[in-house]
């Protein structure tokens, strides 16, 4: 004990001897001389007059599509797509092109980025079949399909190709597997198209593909995106699902991603496909492949590789469902809830919890409590999943899921999918004209956009390009909403969407700065809501929707009994496919503090921005194509955006 005290005295003497501190002059002795207040003041420049000088935070969102198929995808080619990855990039960059059905098509505005994500299984097969490649015609089944196409029976060929493949009966001699010359050629052409289209600072063309696990007809697809260029992306060919080289288990995809990064020094991420056709398998608590409760390894690995989720696309919206959120008046939106991908198994209510974003976010809190890691800590984006090579999903410019349902008088009333065994049908009019991914990045480059995706600074939109900001912190005040540049205050006082709130100051609830600006050529805004999910002390999960700011506030007041906000109104003229921005507001901004905050309970928060009603794509088809829709067909829609969450975790 005496020895310890002696050491302490020695160190105290040394420290005291090193520090010369004059309380009267506040002068410090340093290796560089004496520092006083005046010297310190002169050492720093005054803040620049320009408030934008020196800014290094993301100042604008970039809009794009992370999920687009071309003729290189076997199913897209079978359903009539004849456009290549090059064509897809041309349209996305603003060019007018000719669609596979011979129609002119152009986007209202160019996109900022695009991922051509063709299916990894049998990539490039259909263009070679259509061209009559000798190796394919040498196989009897290949000759049969080619002859059907040449004699005008392409639909029959398409159906036979898909059934043969999904049934595991596709001839090995026709299989385009990794390692074969044909597959390597298709992957090289995919990479070359992205490299040629990539224009840093103006347009980003990512290299990517879709891993298409459809175990027993249940959709577990993931889009794999590379941060890298040709040099690294070409070293490994994509991972497939067809055995023995591939696997339909996500764990094996994550192993492939690990191998890729280890061998190349590159960087990849995977985005889980909209889960509403997975029949309860997209966000499991019990793995369908093992029958066991997911473990910590699964949670850690999924959280590492899958930092984003595709919350909306053509095959329906994936935010939430009325069965899961009965108190959410906006939950019944563009639902696809009849079965799995091939409709071989009808949907059961108990499956829904494991398919939708909000319930997955809630279960993530529960799993984090049990495992120490949250496997479902993901940001939100939208994308198209179009199989036309056309990222055209605005309501007045919707070119459909596949080329056979590009604009034509029959597409709404023709079944998009049916399964006689289950008696289940999805009609063409049930396609959703959605969506796009919005990414807050410092510049339009692969590196900046990818890094923003990894930190989850993203949001989903069902099509409109509204600008949405969402920050969380402990110090936001009401006056912080009185700004034309919420980003400055947001990054200074808090964390952006996708971030984490740290330990709260005593007695302070979290505060959120949220702002939205309408699409310049779109509709006014109805309201902004903040959705909260939390885990209580008993281990049960809950949710609540707060209307935090709304348009026409001088006229609309929440009901004193229910707290519900009256509808914004409706100016849509369906017959003429018009509406007016005489209701709603062009922008909304507020600071909201959680009135129900308990610092001992983990929670997440995300913003939902809702537009005023506008015409749905079915209304535009009715007017332009001169057709009549049945009464059950919706003709009006309220477009929306979903931000990535901000999480709070108690220490």
């Amino acid at each position: 004990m005496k020895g310890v005290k002696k050491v302490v005295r020695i160190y105290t003497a040394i420290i005291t001897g090193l520090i010369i501190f004059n309380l009267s002059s506040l002068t410090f002795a340093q290796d560089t001389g004496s520092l006083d207040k005046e010297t310190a003041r002169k050492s720093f420049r005054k803040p620049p007059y320009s408030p934008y000088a020196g800014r290094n935070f993301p100042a604008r969102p970039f809009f794009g599509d992370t999920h687009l198929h071309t003729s290189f995808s076997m199913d897209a080619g079978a359903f009539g797509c004849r456009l290549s990855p090059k064509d897809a990039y041309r349209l996305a960059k603003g060019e007018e092109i000719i669609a596979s059905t011979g129609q002119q098509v152009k986007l209202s505005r160019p996109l900022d980025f695009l991922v051509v994500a063709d299916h990894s299984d049998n990539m490039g097969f259909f263009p070679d079949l259509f061209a009559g490649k000798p190796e394919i015609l040498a196989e009897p089944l290949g000759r049969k399909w080619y002859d059907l196409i040449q004699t005008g029976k392409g639909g029959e060929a398409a159906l036979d190709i898909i059934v043969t493949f999904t049934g595991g009966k596709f001839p090995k001699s026709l299989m385009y597997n990794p390692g074969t010359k044909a597959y390597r050629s298709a992957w090289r052409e995919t990479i070359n198209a992205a490299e040629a289209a990539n224009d840093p600072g103006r347009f980003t063309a990512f290299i990517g593909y879709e891993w298409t696990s459809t175990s027993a007809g249940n959709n577990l697809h993931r889009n794999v995106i590379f941060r890298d260029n040709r040099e690294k992306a070409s070293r490994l060919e994509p991972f497939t699902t067809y055995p023995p080289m591939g696997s339909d288990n996500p764990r094996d995809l994550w192993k492939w991603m690990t191998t890729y990064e280890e061998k190349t020094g590159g960087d990849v991420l995977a985005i889980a496909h909209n889960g509403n056709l997975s029949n309860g398998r997209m966000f499991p608590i019990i793995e369908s492949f093992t029958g066991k409760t997911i473990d910590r390894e699964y949670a850690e690995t999924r959280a590492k590789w899958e930092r984003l989720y595709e919350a909306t696309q053509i095959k329906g919206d994936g935010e939430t469902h009325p069965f899961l959120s009965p108190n959410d008046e906006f939950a019944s939106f563009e639902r696809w809830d009849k079965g799995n991908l091939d409709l071989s198994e009808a949907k059961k209510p108990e499956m829904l919890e494991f398919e939708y974003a909000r319930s997955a976010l809630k279960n993530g809190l529960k799993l984090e409590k049990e495992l120490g890691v949250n496997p479902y800590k993901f940001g939100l984006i939208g994308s198209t999943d179009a199989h036309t090579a056309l990222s055209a999903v605005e309501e007045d410019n919707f070119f459909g899921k596949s080329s056979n349902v590009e604009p034509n008088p029959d597409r709404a009333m023709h079944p998009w999918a049916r399964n006689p065994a289950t008696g289940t049908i999805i009609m063409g009019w049930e396609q959703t004209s959605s969506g796009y991914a919005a990414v807050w990045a410092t510049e339009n480059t692969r590196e900046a956009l990818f890094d923003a995706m990894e930190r989850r600074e993203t949001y989903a939109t069902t099509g409109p390009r509204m600008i949405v900001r969402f920050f969380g912190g402990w110090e936001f005040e009401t006056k912080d909403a009185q700004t034309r540049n919420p980003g400055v205050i947001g990054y200074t006082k808090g964390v952006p969407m996708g971030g984490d709130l740290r330990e709260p100051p005593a007695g302070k609830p979290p505060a959120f700065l949220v702002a939205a600006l309408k699409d310049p050529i779109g509709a006014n805004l109805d309201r902004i809501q903040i959705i909260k999910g939390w885990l209580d002390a008993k281990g049960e999960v809950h949710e609540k929707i707060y209307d935090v700011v709304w348009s026409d506030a001088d006229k609309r007041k929440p009901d004193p009994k229910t707290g519900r906000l009256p509808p914004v109104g409706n100016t849509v003229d369906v017959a003429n496919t018009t509406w007016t921005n005489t209701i709603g507001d062009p922008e909304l901004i507020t600071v909201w503090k959680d009135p129900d905050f308990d610092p001992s309970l983990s929670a997440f928060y995300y913003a939902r921005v809702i537009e005023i009603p506008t015409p749905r794509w079915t209304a535009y088809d009715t007017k332009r194509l001169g057709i009549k829709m049945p009464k059950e067909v919706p003709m009006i829609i309220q477009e929306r955006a979903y931000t990535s969450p901000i999480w709070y975790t108690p220490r």
Side-chain angles (χ1 to χ4, degrees), residues 357-642:
R358 192 185 300 174
S359 55
L361 291 168
K362 290 193 295 185
N363 281 338
L365 300 179
K366 184 185 297 186
L367 289 166
E368 184 175 33
K369 184 77 172 178
E370 298 170 2
L371 302 174
V373 179
N374 184 346
Y376 306 133
K377 196 171 184 178
F378 50 73
L380 301 179
I381 61 160
S383 280
T384 68
D385 194 13
H387 282 53
T388 58
L390 310 171
S391 294
V393 290
E394 292 164 301
E395 301 295 334
D396 64 349
N397 195 33
F398 181 46
F399 267 70
K401 167 69 176 173
S402 49
S403 293
N404 64 316
V405 289
E406 289 179 13
N408 71 75
D410 300 321
R411 68 169 176 169
M413 296 315 301
H414 187 276
W416 181 83
R418 69 166 73 192
N419 191 314
T422 58
T424 312
I425 298 176
I426 296 175
M427 297 300 297
W429 59 261
E430 293 182 85
Q431 295 173 89
T432 301
S433 188
S434 183
Y436 288 133
V439 179
W440 284 100
T442 52
E443 59 182 1
N444 191 359
T445 62
R446 284 174 177 166
E447 296 78 14
L449 292 172
F450 188 97
D451 292 348
M453 291 180 188
E454 283 208 319
R455 66 176 182 264
R456 302 180 292 252
E457 199 169 350
T458 64
Y459 60 96
T461 162
T462 58
R465 303 188 198 184
M466 59 189 84
I467 296 176
V468 184
R469 283 288 203 187
F470 184 50
F471 296 95
W474 307 104
E475 305 298 334
F476 289 119
E477 304 172 81
T478 301
K479 66 179 182 180
D480 291 333
Q482 300 168 359
T483 176
R484 299 304 307 158
N485 196 342
V488 174
I489 295 173
Y491 288 107
T492 301
K493 288 188 172 184
V495 298
M497 58 184 79
D500 290 277
L501 290 174
R502 303 305 178 189
E503 193 72 13
K508 278 198 173 185
F512 297 89
L513 174 61
V514 60
L517 184 66
K518 71 179 285 293
D519 184 325
I521 64 172
N524 274 349
L525 306 177
D526 170 7
R527 68 186 76 189
I528 300 178
Q529 300 175 311
I530 290 182
I531 287 86
K532 176 186 178 182
W534 72 95
L535 181 71
D536 69 20
K538 297 180 180 179
E540 299 296 323
V541 290
H542 306 270
E543 66 178 62
K544 189 172 182 178
I545 298 96
Y546 300 87
D547 290 307
V548 298
V549 62
W550 54 89
S551 62
D552 306 325
D554 57 331
K555 302 174 185 176
R556 292 202 290 165
K557 306 294 181 184
D559 185 288
K561 293 183 179 179
T562 65
R564 285 281 177 92
L565 190 66
V568 68
N570 185 359
T571 66
V572 176
D573 179 344
V574 172
N576 293 303
T577 58
T578 61
W579 82 95
T580 64
N581 277 330
T582 52
I583 59 173
D585 284 352
E587 62 179 342
L588 296 170
I589 184 170
T590 195
V591 168
W592 175 81
K593 296 181 180 180
D594 182 1
D596 306 308
F597 179 63
D598 183 335
S600 68
L601 305 179
S602 58
F604 65 81
Y605 305 81
Y606 68 90
R608 180 170 65 184
V609 183
I610 299 178
E611 284 187 350
I612 66 171
T614 52
R616 192 175 182 265
W617 71 268
T618 43
Y620 289 102
D621 267 24
T622 300
K623 178 176 172 58
R624 293 177 184 171
L625 303 177
I627 59 178
K628 190 173 182 178
M629 297 282 183
K631 291 182 179 180
E632 68 267 21
V633 177
M635 308 294 273
I636 295 172
I637 190 171
Q638 280 192 269
E639 306 271 18
R640 55 201 63 193
Y642 314 118

Side-chain angles (χ1 to χ4, degrees), residues 248-395:
D248 59 359
N249 189 331
R251 286 183 185 258
D252 294 321
L253 173 66
W254 302 333
K255 290 177 183 177
W256 179 93
M257 296 172 74
T258 301
T259 300
Y260 171 83
E261 291 197 350
E262 289 175 348
K263 286 190 174 182
T264 69
D267 205 349
V268 288
L269 61 81
I271 302 175
H273 183 294
N274 183 11
N276 58 349
L277 298 179
S278 70
N279 271 13
R281 291 169 173 82
M282 182 56 79
F283 301 112
I285 289 180
I286 298 176
E287 277 190 271
S288 59
F289 292 93
T290 64
K292 299 179 181 179
T293 302
I294 65 172
D295 55 20
R296 185 182 175 93
E297 180 190 10
Y298 178 100
E300 288 178 336
T301 310
R302 181 160 183 164
K304 175 183 178 180
W305 296 117
E306 300 189 8
R307 300 179 66 81
L308 294 178
Y309 172 59
E310 182 184 270
T312 185
Q313 60 135 285
I314 292 174
K315 296 201 296 292
D317 196 77
E319 185 218 2
T320 192
H321 187 281
F323 179 80
L324 304 170
S325 304
N327 296 320
D328 185 349
E329 61 187 304
F330 291 98
S332 186
F333 178 72
E334 298 291 330
R335 288 188 286 145
W336 278 43
D337 55 4
K338 297 179 180 179
N340 53 359
L341 183 60
D342 61 5
L343 301 180
S344 59
E345 182 183 16
K347 189 76 66 187
K348 299 174 184 176
E350 58 268 24
M351 297 174 177
L352 298 171
E353 178 184 345
F354 309 104
E355 298 184 348
Y356 286 84
R358 192 185 300 174
S359 55
L361 291 168
K362 290 193 295 185
N363 281 338
L365 300 179
K366 184 185 297 186
L367 289 166
E368 184 175 33
K369 184 77 172 178
E370 298 170 2
L371 302 174
V373 179
N374 184 346
Y376 306 133
K377 196 171 184 178
F378 50 73
L380 301 179
I381 61 160
S383 280
T384 68
D385 194 13
H387 282 53
T388 58
L390 310 171
S391 294
V393 290
E394 292 164 301
E395 301 295 334

Side-chain angles (χ1 to χ4, degrees), residues 30-63:
Q30 304 288 341
D31 285 347
T32 53
S34 298
L35 179 66
D36 55 31
K37 287 185 177 180
E38 183 61 20
T39 304
R41 184 186 66 79
K42 291 179 179 179
S43 299
F44 291 88
R45 295 177 181 177
K46 292 181 180 179
Y49 177 83
S50 172
Y52 311 109
R55 174 189 291 175
N56 60 2
F57 59 78
R60 58 162 288 197
F62 295 95
F63 293 92

Side-chain angles (χ1 to χ4, degrees), residues 72 74 119-137 165 170-187 237-238 240-242 245:
F72 279 36
M74 187 173 67
H119 296 306
S120 58
D121 284 274
N122 251 10
M123 182 184 291
F125 169 78
F126 205 89
D128 286 351
L129 170 66
F130 193 75
K133 193 174 181 180
E135 297 94 313
I136 293 177
L137 300 186
F165 183 81
F170 207 86
K172 290 183 179 179
S173 59
L174 294 181
M175 188 71 73
Y176 279 35
N177 279 323
T180 64
K181 182 179 179 181
Y183 194 92
R184 191 177 303 115
S185 175
W187 181 231
E237 290 167 357
T240 61
T241 65
Y242 217 76
M245 299 181 68

